[in-house]
Amino acid sequence: VQLQASGGGLEQPGGSLRLSCAASGSIFSTAVMAWYRQAPGKQRELVARITGGGSAKVADSVKGRFTISRDNAKNTVYLQMNSLKPEDTAVYYCTRVSYNGNAWFPSGVWGQGTLVTVSS
């Protein structure tokens, strides 16, 4: 499976961006997909995840502002980001995730991320 994230850029605080992640591979429709982000000097963190059937979960830090969705026909997962804050500045990545009974962890390849910069 190959992943290609896009849609990042420079946005002002309070603005919106929509990220896309195009995946190749026949297992996409059943895979739990997720968006991660990594800010400068910080560890990569899980932002949102979504099952093949569309059940979604977002991190508390972005709840009410970010929405994850997917289009299985297009092998694409999206991250709609509204009310952006400077602390959302990071490189955003998508990947497949799995659950080990305790936590979700990345279980697929890491595609090229897309940089989101929130600044006035």
Side-chain angles (χ1 to χ4, degrees):
V1 176
Q2 292 185 328
L3 302 167
Q4 181 64 51
S6 62
L10 175 62
E11 184 59 62
Q12 293 185 343
S16 297
L17 284 172
R18 188 194 196 202
L19 307 184
S20 298
C21 176
S24 63
S26 59
I27 65 170
F28 176 83
S29 63
T30 61
V32 181
M33 299 298 295
W35 285 97
Y36 283 76
R37 67 184 180 185
Q38 187 166 21
K42 295 188 177 181
Q43 288 188 331
R44 196 169 293 187
E45 65 169 332
L46 178 59
V47 175
R49 67 176 189 272
I50 186 167
T51 67
S55 179
K57 176 81 172 177
V58 299
D60 288 343
S61 59
V62 303
K63 192 169 293 183
R65 301 189 298 119
F66 290 12
T67 303
I68 187 172
S69 62
R70 67 192 294 161
D71 185 336
N72 289 337
K74 296 182 179 180
N75 275 16
T76 302
V77 61
Y78 305 98
L79 186 67
Q80 178 66 45
M81 306 187 296
N82 299 328
S83 302
L84 284 164
K85 303 177 181 180
E87 51 263 43
D88 295 320
T89 296
V91 178
Y92 285 73
Y93 303 87
C94 64
T95 190
R96 187 177 67 181
V97 292
S98 299
Y99 189 68
N100 64 7
N102 292 308
W104 290 91
F105 63 96
S107 57
V109 298
W110 290 103
Q112 182 177 351
T114 186
L115 176 62
V116 172
T117 303
V118 184
S119 175
S120 55

